[in-house]
Amino acid sequence: MQDKIIIAGPCAAESEEQLMATANAIRSSYDGPLIFRAGVWKPRTNPNTFQGIGEQALEWLQRIQQSMNIAVATEVATASHVVQAIQMGIDYLWIGARTSANPIQVQALTDTIAQELKKNPTHRIKGIMIKNPMHQDAALWLGNIERMEHLGIPIWAVHRGCGHLPAWEMAYTLHQSRPDIPLLIDPSHMSGDKESIAPLLTNAWALQYDGAMIETHIHPQDALSDAKQQLSPDELKTLLSIPIPTTKDHELLWLRSAIDEVDNQLWDLIEHRMSIANQIGMHKRKQSLAIVQQERFQHILNKRLIWAKNHQVSDKLVQIVMHAIHDESINVQER
Ligand code: PEP
Ligand code: MN
């Protein structure tokens, strides 16, 4: 594990005591290279939830950095965040998934970083971590990396998935075009719950990821944001003691990760389709309509066969899958 970059710390800075206690507990249980993370400005969906402490929390991070001799990282989403973070000597900045979706914003942050570093030559940043955009767009992720690379500061790509979908294929696309950019995983945001973190991290280690960002809180159950996915420092210690799997055929593992994810989506869609079929069954019963309506099935089958002519799917597969799905839909409606 010693050669991996480990970034750990809470989703959000909540109080100086919370930050200090978390940083101390992590440091005493993990002695490899460590960057301490905490969000100061939080991109929250709901405006009535905790939005982050703001500027004051930068002072807490600075005190941890100085008293513990540890590098610190925070998320920046606006030019003013950049100015404040650089002035407070924050070592690493990260660009979050929502900001990463907006190239104009990423360019504005890049320009502000360049201006700040030029204005004051004593200011420095050790690295910038760029998360993937929230939607599956490897080209945009790569574009953000290219925008920021001109700064001459080390750039790392952080793979956090899209929503709670890993999007392995997107990360593989980025990694294939830029194998020189360190690739890190953020299994916390990728999964959204602590149970899924270990298998995601194990897969990333098998794929030779260079490091991981893992949300860790001194009392996860009391966290003001992302409580379900944050680990306690003890849980982090256990996670980081998982042996790194040795894999010979990385390309096969990347492709299998991608195909397993598509299978998961396929089955989620089939389950969803059956739940709609169930509602149709209830509607037909209420309206005294026949459950089996052959002309409707013929219509959707013909439509799919026409579609198959311009896609890499055989007529045979369309017939087999459509009949299997339709038979099961009838079963669901007749239940
Ligand atoms: C975070 O790291 O706390 C965060 C908000 O991440 P993301 O942008 O990946 O959702
Ligand atoms: Mn978070």
Side-chain angles (χ1 to χ4, degrees):
M1 201 66 61
Q2 299 289 330
D3 60 332
K4 302 290 186 193
I5 304 161
I6 300 298
I7 303 150
C11 177
E14 299 168 3
S15 68
E16 186 163 6
E17 296 67 41
Q18 169 245 10
L19 279 195
M20 275 290 178
T22 307
N24 275 312
I26 295 174
R27 184 68 294 176
S28 61
S29 65
Y30 179 71
D31 60 5
L34 181 69
I35 298 169
F36 185 69
R37 64 149 277 157
V40 165
W41 301 279
K42 295 306 301 174
R44 305 302 304 284
T45 303
N46 183 338
N48 302 315
T49 57
F50 176 63
Q51 306 290 300
I53 296 285
E55 198 177 353
Q56 190 194 2
L58 294 176
E59 290 174 25
W60 305 339
L61 278 176
Q62 194 185 50
R63 278 202 279 279
I64 286 174
Q65 176 196 49
Q66 291 169 359
S67 65
M68 295 179 62
N69 192 23
I70 193 173
V72 294
T74 203
E75 174 173 352
V76 289
T78 69
S80 124
H81 296 166
V82 166
V83 173
Q84 294 173 66
I86 293 180
Q87 282 176 358
M88 292 300 283
I90 301 299
D91 303 284
Y92 292 87
L93 307 181
W94 85 77
I95 310 299
R98 292 153 193 84
T99 308
S100 195
N102 182 345
I104 294 184
Q105 190 62 14
V106 173
Q107 188 61 51
L109 298 180
T110 310
D111 296 344
T112 309
I113 292 170
Q115 280 159 21
E116 280 307 298
L117 296 183
K118 201 166 150 198
K119 252 197 300 191
N120 191 335
T122 63
H123 285 163
R124 90 275 174 267
I125 303 172
K126 289 186 181 159
I128 302 176
M129 305 170 222
I130 306 183
K131 295 213 190 188
N132 66 263
M134 198 60 99
H135 59 293
Q136 282 199 52
D137 192 338
L140 182 55
W141 193 10
L142 175 64
N144 290 337
I145 290 168
E146 287 172 350
R147 279 175 203 283
M148 293 207 134
E149 255 178 341
H150 298 298
L151 292 165
I153 296 167
I155 303 285
W156 302 339
V158 178
H159 173 207
R160 59 87 73 218
C162 302
H164 293 150
L165 198 72
W168 292 109
E169 196 180 5
M170 172 183 64
Y172 187 38
T173 304
L174 181 89
H175 183 59
Q176 278 176 305
S177 61
R178 290 300 303 271
D180 58 312
I181 295 282
L183 181 61
L184 282 70
I185 188 166
D186 169 354
S188 310
H189 291 94
M190 187 179 280
S191 68
D193 74 88
K194 51 168 84 178
E195 279 65 44
S196 316
I197 292 177
L200 289 167
L201 185 66
T202 306
N203 201 47
W205 290 154
L207 290 167
Q208 292 190 307
Y209 275 54
D210 300 290
M213 178 187 272
I214 300 155
E215 285 194 339
T216 311
H217 191 293
I218 190 71
H219 300 301
Q221 67 283 4
D222 300 332
L224 299 180
S225 58
D226 286 348
K228 282 206 288 210
Q229 72 197 30
Q230 300 204 59
L231 300 183
S232 68
D234 277 351
E235 289 167 330
L236 177 74
K237 185 178 181 180
T238 308
L239 184 77
L240 295 181
S241 65
I242 294 175
I244 296 184
T246 46
T247 314
K248 287 202 185 79
D249 192 341
H250 294 107
E251 184 172 354
L252 184 62
L253 184 57
W254 272 113
L255 294 172
R256 283 191 169 156
S257 305
I259 215 164
D260 287 352
E261 184 174 321
V262 171
D263 278 352
N264 288 341
Q265 290 174 288
L266 213 51
W267 282 105
D268 282 346
L269 280 176
I270 288 173
E271 185 189 28
H272 186 187
R273 194 187 191 286
M274 293 308 157
S275 81
I276 298 175
N278 184 42
Q279 292 178 54
I280 290 183
M282 289 192 295
H283 176 82
K284 284 177 178 168
R285 263 193 298 281
K286 239 193 300 174
Q287 303 297 323
S288 308
L289 298 170
I291 294 288
V292 183
Q293 300 190 6
Q294 267 313 325
E295 71 291 350
R296 162 73 181 159
F297 178 61
Q298 274 311 321
H299 175 72
I300 55 174
L301 179 61
N302 288 341
K303 213 166 79 174
R304 193 54 50 195
L305 286 167
I306 293 167
W307 172 91
K309 287 192 200 317
N310 300 317
H311 291 84
Q312 305 297 311
V313 174
S314 69
D315 283 10
K316 187 177 165 207
L317 184 64
V318 168
Q319 292 278 4
I320 293 171
V321 171
M322 284 308 296
H323 276 100
I325 288 180
H326 185 247
D327 287 354
E328 180 63 10
S329 274
I330 301 293
N331 288 339
V332 166
Q333 293 183 45
E334 281 175 343
R335 248 181 233 153

